[in-house]
Amino acid sequence: MTEPSALTDLTARQLLSGYRAGTFSPLDATRAVLARIEEVQPRLNAFVRVDTEPALAQARAATERWHAGEPRGLLDGVPVSVKDTLLQAGGPTFKGSNTIEEQGSWSTDCPAVARLREHGAVLIGKTTTPEFGWQGVTDSPRTGITRNPHDPARTSGGSSGGSAAAVAAGAGPLSVGTDGGGSIRIPASFCGVLGLKPTYGRVPLHPASPFGTLSHAGPLARDAADAALLLDVLSGADPRDPTALEPLPPAHSYAEALAQDASAGVKGLRIAYSPAFGGQVAVHPEVAAAVRTAVSRLADLGAYVEEADPDFADPVEAFNTLWNAGAARLVHQLGADKRELLDPGLRSIAARGARLSALDLLAAQEAGIELGRRMARFHQRYDLLATPTLPITAFAAGRAAPGGSGPHRWTGWTPFTYPFNLTQQPAATVPVGADTGGLPVGLQLIAARYGERTVLRAAAALTGHPSS
């Protein structure tokens, strides 16, 4: 029998294989993950709460199902965490904010959590977020600072920083995060895990995000195959989200497609490599070197790689207009007494958003649509665009931006991520090495809308496809 401590190093698929073989049980795995959380939580602060007793009860029920030869769904008995911006029945969803009170019925699961329950996942707890997911680091008035497993003096990134830190630290193989401008990809890159922002609507959301169609939900995992498995669970229509995409036919399972694609790998894929968006971005030399090496590996594996930049100028003004408007809408719904409890940075962008006009919003939406058109044309020539996920590795914890004379707003140091929330395309970050200080570097892979399979195919070539 595998030692419980070793179970925290396994992927979700390896756990399922062990359950199937009777080598260990969901209860063994859940106990190991809960022990790991207890060990790392004081150092990392990745969890808002840990649902120990409910998780153990779910694990016992899953163990009984496996012993009876009747597992339920695709993740029966697999420990999964959920970002604390997503509703989960049975406890409060604080969203990193002191404006939300613990009292209430808390009886609603968001679509992602409902799918996890349907598939037998063990819900181990809620992970930290900045207040309402507003920025690129996971610092909040309610929960404080979430730190990086590779160096707790560094930030985990954000806004799904708790989820990324948990997966990287072995506190569960899977987590569900959200991404409004890079909020899955930023922390996944900083923490050295795989994070996928699917096409908008692929994973339904309820309630709708105050940041509108910028916000996506998706998986954080250790490799592409686990991300594909979780995406199979999360994706599909939900009557509470009228923008959600129709479910894929069973034959189009992402996990099964990835297994079918494994033999071909990336052979024949047309990949555009943009190292710095045409010189618009200053990329740290160690990041640039690690990304270039990974892109060369894709070429060695049979992809047609060409250095080419997407045809657009920095859309930061359009993005900030939509982002600040969302913050203004969010804050407008709070009473004056609660507004005083907010993160000052969130109050600041909400004030900017409140000064915007309807014409400003329409112009920003039009800019996003035009950017989408440009990228659609780009993807007629290329299956994938490859860029650094971020131009830097993780900086000091407790800061909103890197030190020195650089940018002070989070969009200033995330130029590769937020454009693809405007275009609603699928984009993933894949760990491809580390700098000399041991801090992870991520490569971003972007496909045309609905191209999750292509993104996962290339990500699998880089992360490997361990047997299940």
Side-chain angles (χ1 to χ4, degrees):
M1 175 120 8
T2 302
E3 289 296 322
S5 60
L7 298 181
T8 59
D9 295 329
L10 300 183
T11 65
R13 299 174 336 283
Q14 289 167 335
L15 289 177
L16 291 166
S17 181
Y19 302 162
R20 196 174 297 114
T23 309
F24 46 80
S25 72
L27 187 57
D28 295 328
T30 301
R31 284 173 172 161
V33 167
L34 291 171
R36 180 62 175 163
I37 294 172
E38 186 175 1
E39 177 186 353
V40 303
Q41 175 66 4
R43 187 167 72 252
L44 302 181
N45 187 32
F47 285 83
V48 177
R49 74 166 195 262
V50 181
D51 295 324
T52 301
E53 291 308 318
L56 290 172
Q58 293 164 28
R60 291 187 186 99
T63 297
E64 291 176 4
R65 290 193 293 270
W66 279 102
H67 284 169
E70 298 175 349
R72 183 179 75 204
L74 298 176
L75 291 176
D76 202 9
V78 174
V80 182
S81 59
V82 176
K83 183 179 180 180
D84 197 42
T85 55
L86 298 168
L87 294 182
Q88 179 178 321
T93 296
F94 290 120
K95 303 184 181 182
S97 181
N98 287 322
T99 67
I100 295 177
E101 298 176 359
E102 188 169 353
Q103 293 77 17
S105 62
W106 301 110
S107 58
T108 301
D109 282 335
C110 72
V113 173
R115 299 280 169 79
L116 290 171
R117 290 194 200 274
E118 289 168 11
H119 285 268
V122 174
L123 300 173
I124 54 175
K126 303 295 290 292
T127 57
T128 50
T129 175
E131 192 162 32
F132 298 105
W134 82 271
Q135 64 174 334
V137 295
T138 301
D139 302 6
S140 86
R142 183 151 208 143
T143 57
I145 298 168
T146 296
R147 299 175 181 273
N148 195 307
H150 295 270
D151 180 355
R154 306 281 178 154
T155 181
S156 65
S159 64
S160 303
S163 289
V167 173
L174 299 172
S175 192
V176 181
T178 62
D179 188 314
S183 289
I184 287 172
R185 291 160 290 155
I186 294 165
S189 180
F190 275 177
C191 293
V193 298
L194 190 146
L196 171 64
K197 177 188 77 70
T199 303
Y200 180 78
R202 181 67 70 206
V203 178
L205 287 170
H206 175 78
S209 169
F211 300 105
T213 58
L214 295 175
S215 188
H216 305 54
L220 294 98
R222 292 181 188 146
D223 64 19
D226 262 17
L229 178 63
L230 183 51
L231 187 59
D232 278 337
V233 170
L234 300 177
S235 61
D238 186 287
R240 295 173 292 175
D241 183 355
T243 69
L245 301 177
E246 283 297 314
L248 296 174
H252 290 235
S253 155
Y254 291 109
E256 291 178 6
L258 193 60
Q260 293 168 7
D261 293 339
S263 58
V266 294
K267 189 174 181 180
L269 286 183
R270 302 163 298 163
I271 300 177
Y273 167 45
S274 181
F277 276 175
Q280 296 181 66
V281 181
V283 179
H284 190 282
E286 291 184 65
V287 172
V291 169
R292 186 173 292 276
T293 297
V295 170
S296 296
R297 184 178 169 201
L298 291 172
D300 292 341
L301 292 170
Y304 298 109
V305 177
E306 175 182 0
E307 193 163 315
D309 300 308
D311 178 26
F312 62 77
D314 186 355
V316 68
E317 287 190 19
F319 179 85
N320 282 339
T321 294
L322 296 171
W323 194 254
N324 294 350
R329 173 63 179 158
L330 189 159
V331 171
H332 178 73
Q333 299 174 70
L334 301 174
D337 56 335
K338 289 194 172 182
R339 291 177 197 171
E340 291 302 313
L341 301 174
L342 290 169
D343 184 320
L346 176 56
R347 282 206 308 270
S348 175
I349 68 165
R352 292 175 195 165
R355 294 192 291 270
L356 295 167
S357 70
L359 291 177
D360 294 325
L361 291 178
L362 289 171
Q365 290 172 352
E366 184 179 343
I369 291 169
E370 174 57 27
L371 185 61
R373 289 195 192 101
R374 288 175 178 266
M375 287 307 300
R377 289 196 296 268
F378 185 85
H379 284 292
Q380 289 177 342
R381 289 178 287 143
Y382 300 105
D383 299 302
L384 288 169
L385 170 63
T387 75
T389 306
L390 296 165
I392 55 173
T393 53
F395 51 86
R399 300 184 62 95
S405 60
H408 299 289
R409 294 193 63 186
W410 68 270
T411 47
W413 52 270
T414 61
F416 295 110
T417 59
Y418 60 78
F420 305 106
N421 292 78
L422 287 164
T423 63
Q424 305 183 0
Q425 296 171 246
T429 182
V430 184
V432 293
D435 66 11
T436 52
L439 296 171
V441 173
L443 165 71
Q444 183 175 221
L445 297 165
I446 305 113
R449 282 166 60 96
Y450 319 119
E452 287 88 351
R453 178 173 176 173
T454 306
V455 169
L456 288 165
R457 179 178 166 189
L462 291 170
T463 62
H465 195 299
S467 63
S468 57

